[in-house]
Amino acid sequence: SALRRLTPTEYRNTVRDMFPGVSIPDVALATDLVVGGFDNSAEGQTVSPLLTENYQRAGVAIGAAVTGDLARWAPCTTNAAACAAQITELVAMRAQRRPLSTEERALFVGLVEATRAESGLGDAIAALVEALLMTPQFLYRPELGAVGRAAPAGLVALDDYELASRLSYFLWRSMPDEVLFDAAAAGELSDVALLEGHARRMLEDPRAHETIADLHAQWFQVRRVDALALDTTAFPEFDSALQDDTCISASPTDAPSATRTTWTFASPR
């Protein structure tokens, strides 16, 4: 499958869910090209120097915010090495959206320990968050497949954590929740019936409602209705009130101005 990067909306949603209860700063991220009406096409996800700078600044701001409110989300807040390691495991796993390898665990724990010994727990976790939010494993959603899992000819079976991420970003535009992580750890998501059960549960969440509304707004290009200029004689029913009712609001950071076009029609077709 195509290697997709998190959209600005997915980035913000993921950071919000990584650190529940924390007021995350509104970070500026350069928008991607809209391809075929959609803002999450891998074809439009080029990385510019501006976007790289945005990611670095966002990591610094988010790191400062979450370490200033550790008690809201961290399992512990002492300056002990064991506490630092526990926080590191939690944050890195959420950022990677899967369990850490032995090498990754050693790398991230080593980073935190080196900073904690010199500057304390807060600075260490801030450095960790900044580093994690710049890793390709966080910014992209790689799907490498499950080793040894059968699949039809020409296809590759995803592992349970990849299925969890695919499902959560499809329905919520964010990382899996704890229920979905637990299901992936138990190997439940390879069972089609159990996977469907989780999808139905997630569809009841308000995050799914927002995603579905945005999908249709992009699919039918409803947001362009606010730029329509119709002949009032030919289209007497199309007034400002109907125009306002038809439009589906969107975050200005996720609707590039280059995609907004004014259409003028003199008569109905």
Side-chain angles (χ1 to χ4, degrees), residues 159-217:
D159 69 24
D160 282 77
Y161 287 97
E162 291 168 343
L163 285 169
S165 283
R166 178 175 282 204
L167 186 60
S168 66
Y169 282 98
F170 176 59
L171 296 179
W172 286 349
R173 297 183 295 181
S174 186
M175 60 178 281
D177 62 0
E178 292 303 317
V179 175
L180 207 53
F181 274 137
D182 290 343
E188 294 180 2
L189 301 183
S190 56
D191 183 306
V192 174
L194 295 177
L195 182 68
E196 179 181 339
H198 283 285
R200 292 185 179 279
R201 171 185 69 85
M202 295 169 70
L203 282 168
E204 297 297 326
D205 191 285
R207 287 173 289 183
H209 305 168
E210 294 174 3
T211 301
I212 292 170
D214 188 59
L215 165 66
H216 286 82

Side-chain angles (χ1 to χ4, degrees), residues 42-55:
E43 297 176 24
Q45 293 186 323
T46 56
V47 179
S48 65
L50 174 61
L51 182 58
T52 303
E53 181 180 336
N54 289 165
Y55 282 145

Side-chain angles (χ1 to χ4, degrees), residues 84-85 88-89 92-93 96 98-115 128 132:
T88 300
E89 179 86 17
M93 190 272 181
Q96 310 267 328
R98 56 169 175 74
L100 304 179
S101 67
T102 302
E103 294 77 10
E104 289 170 333
R105 186 177 294 104
L107 175 67
F108 295 130
V109 170
L111 168 65
V112 168
E113 272 305 290
T115 310
L128 172 70
L132 284 170

Side-chain angles (χ1 to χ4, degrees), residues 7-74:
T7 67
T9 296
E10 291 169 343
Y11 180 103
R12 297 185 185 97
N13 290 349
T14 302
V15 172
R16 174 201 65 199
D17 293 339
M18 282 178 63
F19 306 102
V22 177
S23 179
I24 302 297
D26 186 16
V27 296
L29 298 175
T31 54
D32 298 312
L33 296 175
V34 174
V35 178
F38 294 96
D39 64 5
N40 63 345
S41 172
E43 297 176 24
Q45 293 186 323
T46 56
V47 179
S48 65
L50 174 61
L51 182 58
T52 303
E53 181 180 336
N54 289 165
Y55 282 145
Q56 195 273 331
R57 291 185 176 183
V60 172
I62 293 166
V66 301
T67 54
D69 211 354
L70 276 175
R72 282 190 177 272
W73 62 271

